[in-house]
DNA sequence: CGCAAATATGCGCACCCCGCAATATTTGGA
DNA sequence: TCCAAATATTGCGGGGTGCGCATATTTGCG
């Protein structure tokens, strides 16, 4: 990867991180594009070369995570579908390099801030769900390959992809709301297991 | 219901219908709020008293439909959960009074227009998904009541609600894309049945 | 009828997003 | 090494949007 692409990735990450941090601190519409650009050290105009809206920048991290799920699923060995899905999803929500690079002082406060940000901002909710929807196509493709179905003709792969994302979203929302916090991994596992079991009444 | 509320509902419906029709005809960003307001016979400022964005107006019909699913689910008699869900969902996508009031000349052309509108407009995708997400809470409540679970504590009702909406969205998307058209009812039934069966590999 | 509450409208503003064109930077080859 | 092509960044300008606020109009009720 040349210098060019590396710098681009860095700028993108810096913009997204700035957008998230500022939004959690002040609230979504108390942050101007100008602020985000300044925090990332680029011009306001450049911001819109990377993201077509403020909301998109805030959600970029989550979007990348969804894409990694699809990627991981493609690379899983031959195994039962729902095992593969579980193993593709879980690692994406553990501690990663990116998180380590931006330590957060007060974890509880941060969690609450993230929840408020998502819960109270229609624009962010929509963008978050849209990110999932964009990844849906990729995941459906991976599922199709694994099950010998055809995304263009069959409902099945899209249905599985949508169900997986629904499980992930539900688990994450529950996680952000839980007090005291329940481990994400447990919630994700429970959600996926339940879906795979056909959601029988407990 | 007094004259006041009736007129309000009428204005809301007129605005939403105008937004949909104009968007299908010309494309989302070739339509100005001013155009929608004019078509509905109100001032541009009034538009924003009803909807907080253009996208919200376009999606309002779908949003109402989702709410009716939750309502219908609450009112179903005692029966297995997934039977109740199926019976709550299907009727909302049959012919209704509203559709009859606005006959569409060329059905195929209209379907294609609706699909293009959704597929090519990020803002609309997000808003559409958000509408589902808003209804999710209501559906989760109905599920909780039916299964003796607690939305505030349990993952289960939210998971079911999210899965149902995922099924509906997937089926509708598939429907809009299908050529020749497959009946929506069949796709919806298939999607819900599959989810209830735990999505086993076909 | 006449008043209080709810609703519609007009005006103005801050901000967002993008097209365009000029400038700066990186890359790959002569 | 140095230059030209490819690519990125920036400044400028404009069309829209969404909303706060003050005002006019309509509705429901005593």
């Amino acid at each position: 990867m040349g210098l060019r692409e590396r710098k681009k990735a860095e700028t993108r990450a810096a913009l997204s991180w700035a957008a998230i941090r500022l939004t959690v601190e002040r609230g979504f519409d108390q942050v101007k594009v100008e602020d985000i650009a300044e925090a990332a050290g680029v011009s306001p105009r450049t911001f819109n070369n990377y993201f077509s809206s403020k909301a998109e920048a805030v959600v970029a991290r989550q979007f990348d995570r969804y894409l990694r799920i699809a990627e991981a699923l493609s690379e899983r060995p031959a195994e039962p579908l729902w095992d593969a899905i579980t193993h593709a999803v879980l690692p994406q929500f553990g501690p990663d390099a990116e998180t380590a690079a931006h330590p957060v002082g007060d974890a509880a406060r941060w969690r609450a801030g993230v929840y408020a940000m998502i819960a109270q901002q229609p624009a962010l909710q929509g963008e978050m769900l849209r990110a999932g929807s964009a990844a849906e196509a990729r995941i459906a493709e991976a599922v199709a390959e694994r099950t010998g179905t055809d995304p263009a003709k069959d409902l099945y792969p899209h249905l599985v992809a949508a169900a997986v994302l629904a499980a992930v979203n539900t688990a994450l929302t529950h996680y952000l709301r839980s007090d005291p916090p329940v481990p994400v991994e447990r919630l994700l596992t429970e959600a996926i297991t339940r879906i795979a079991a056909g959601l029988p009444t407990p």
Side-chain angles (χ1 to χ4, degrees), chain A:
Chain A
M1 188 192 281
L3 173 61
R4 195 163 213 135
E5 299 173 36
R6 206 182 327 137
K7 279 194 88 172
K8 246 188 118 162
E10 273 170 28
T11 302
R12 184 185 147 92
L15 282 170
S16 178
W17 173 246
I20 295 172
R21 183 176 56 81
L22 291 173
T23 299
V24 171
E25 281 174 13
R26 303 186 211 164
F28 186 66
D29 30 41
Q30 272 64 53
V31 178
K32 288 185 292 187
V33 168
E34 192 185 338
D35 303 331
I36 301 172
E38 192 188 11
V42 295
S43 79
R45 181 62 184 86
T46 297
F47 173 87
N48 278 91
N49 290 344
Y50 284 86
F51 301 106
S52 63
S53 78
K54 232 189 345 173
E56 198 177 301
V58 173
V59 174
R61 304 282 292 274
Q62 186 73 1
F63 177 64
D64 292 344
R65 224 180 275 188
Y66 286 149
L67 286 188
R68 283 202 299 275
I69 291 179
E71 215 174 311
L73 187 55
S74 302
E75 291 167 1
R76 290 295 303 175
E79 61 188 336
L81 177 61
W82 290 97
D83 290 354
I85 289 173
T86 306
H87 288 121
V89 169
L90 281 184
Q92 314 308 329
F93 295 91
D96 63 352
E98 197 69 43
T99 307
H102 302 288
V104 173
D106 184 341
R109 184 181 182 74
W110 179 259
R111 246 171 36 103
V114 171
Y115 177 69
M117 167 177 96
I118 306 288
Q120 294 167 9
Q121 291 299 336
L124 286 182
Q125 289 175 39
E127 199 60 30
M128 187 76 93
L129 294 165
R130 204 170 73 78
S133 170
E136 198 256 27
R138 306 288 196 88
I139 297 179
E141 228 174 297
V143 171
E145 188 139 352
R146 198 165 267 277
T147 58
T149 52
D150 178 1
K153 285 178 45 197
D154 302 321
L155 200 56
Y156 182 79
H158 293 284
L159 206 48
V160 172
V164 169
L165 288 163
V168 170
N169 279 330
T170 306
L172 289 183
T173 302
H174 204 87
Y175 164 70
L176 288 174
R177 259 199 304 232
S178 66
D179 184 37
V182 180
V184 227
E185 293 83 0
R186 183 187 308 172
L187 291 169
L188 285 166
T189 307
E190 179 186 342
I192 295 174
T193 306
R194 282 221 146 97
I195 291 265
L199 292 165
T201 306

